Amino acid sequence: VANGVFGQRLAETGNALAIPMTLHRPDSAKRAPRAPQLLLLHGLCMSEAGWRRGAHPAFEAEMRGQGWDVAYLRYNSGLRISRNGAALASLLEADAAKGPLWLVGHSMGGLIARSALHQAREAGLRWPSRVRALVTLGAPHDGAALERLGNHANRLFRVSPYTAPFARLGNLRSDGIRDLRHGNLLEDDWRDTPDPDHAHDPRRPVPLAPGVRHVLVAATRSEAADAPPAKLRDDLLVSVPSALAHAHHGSSPVERHVLPGLDHMGLLGSRRVHDLLRRIVGR
């Protein structure tokens, strides 16, 4: 949580609490270098332990029993999404795994996976050729309304000298949280915006990666998903339209799924999510 809220400050000051990016597997896990790999990326203010709830432990054991290398990314979620994306691109390039790769990102983790894949392709790295699918679970591809609302409040606090201290308090939130305002993926999305509380969307479009199957999953607290996405209740953090990213296009096949009666954190342990993952990986 500290890294999610203050992570960039911890990293800039060399604080020992700043989390380095690492890949994690159970100590007992044995893997072959060319085994199929499932890499799971957590969201804001979380760690790899957040996945281990509900149906997920049984799903992980099942995949390992079938010879899969199941790995979890741990990272400082207070850093810029673009910088975490660049770090992940380098980490995967250096990893010993050589088998086909499936990426699964929850919330911010889905944006980091997209950023890493785009930056790696731009740099001519080798590992993107391993990627078979990218699955995002409740990822705010078009931003999170909660951060936009908080940012608007922070701008209002700056109007009066009596409320200015509250604006300074709001400015303590991390760069990673700010990136969720519009779903920034690249350094260009924030580098030339001097006001950190800007309201405009500065992003340049990032197409979905070619040659990679994309599966975009949204949760809704509505009990049925037969209404238009804009009419469905959000998952408490991310709206259905943002998670489905209809405005993002590319040459790759895209699947979009809405899971009713589920909230943002419920995606991590949902049997419906794991049934979908089994179908995606062909098991």
Side-chain angles (χ1 to χ4, degrees):
V1 172
N3 276 259
V5 180
F6 309 112
Q8 91 282 356
R9 295 177 185 272
L10 296 176
E12 289 166 0
T13 58
N15 193 296
L17 293 177
I19 295 174
M21 180 176 285
T22 48
L23 287 175
H24 288 259
R25 300 172 175 89
D27 293 338
S28 61
K30 297 180 180 180
R31 61 183 180 121
R34 297 196 176 277
Q37 185 179 34
L38 185 68
L39 176 59
L40 299 110
L41 299 83
H42 64 76
L44 176 70
C45 292
M46 298 185 69
S47 74
E48 73 284 355
W51 288 96
R52 300 190 180 113
R53 63 178 71 196
H56 189 82
F59 171 74
E60 176 192 300
E62 173 190 331
M63 297 297 288
R64 291 192 190 283
Q66 295 174 359
W68 282 69
D69 171 21
V70 182
Y72 298 87
L73 186 73
R74 178 191 294 175
Y75 65 94
N76 180 343
S77 58
L79 298 181
R80 290 284 183 183
I81 288 172
S82 57
R83 291 183 173 173
N84 272 324
L88 176 58
S90 297
L91 185 67
L92 289 177
E93 188 73 359
D95 189 44
K98 303 299 179 186
L101 173 62
W102 282 257
L103 298 167
V104 181
H106 175 249
S107 196
M108 178 188 278
L111 302 186
I112 290 173
R114 284 189 60 204
S115 177
L117 191 53
H118 180 82
Q119 293 187 68
R121 291 180 62 87
E122 291 280 294
L125 302 186
R126 297 184 301 273
W127 69 265
S129 64
R130 298 171 46 214
V131 180
R132 299 295 181 266
L134 169 56
V135 183
T136 64
L137 307 174
H141 296 285
D142 290 316
L146 193 61
E147 159 58 14
R148 288 197 290 271
L149 179 62
N151 180 66
H152 180 65
N154 210 49
R155 290 170 63 86
L156 293 178
F157 284 145
R158 288 158 45 179
V159 173
S160 166
Y162 299 104
T163 57
F166 294 102
R168 289 195 291 272
L169 182 63
N171 285 336
L172 291 177
R173 70 193 191 281
S174 69
D175 290 337
I177 292 176
R178 285 190 167 96
D179 275 345
L180 294 180
R181 190 178 312 153
H182 298 291
N184 294 346
L185 297 182
L186 306 177
E187 187 171 335
D188 289 346
D189 294 340
W190 55 266
R191 184 177 52 197
D192 297 325
T193 52
D195 181 2
D197 293 328
H198 65 86
H200 69 286
D201 184 352
R203 296 175 299 165
R204 68 177 173 90
V206 176
L208 300 178
V212 175
R213 179 183 179 188
H214 289 76
V215 183
L216 312 181
V217 180
T220 174
R221 289 173 294 142
S222 300
E223 292 303 317
D226 51 359
K231 299 291 186 181
L232 295 173
R233 301 171 70 192
D234 61 30
D235 65 6
L236 293 176
L237 291 177
V238 177
S239 71
V240 173
S242 184
L244 295 182
H246 282 287
H248 297 257
H249 303 288
S251 58
S252 299
V254 182
E255 297 176 31
R256 293 178 170 90
H257 301 270
V258 180
L259 302 183
L262 202 61
D263 63 23
H264 194 70
M265 301 306 294
L267 286 163
L268 292 167
S270 169
R271 292 186 182 276
R272 286 176 286 169
V273 168
H274 294 100
D275 287 343
L276 179 61
L277 292 178
R278 289 183 183 92
R279 182 171 65 78
I280 293 166
V281 301
R283 290 291 184 271

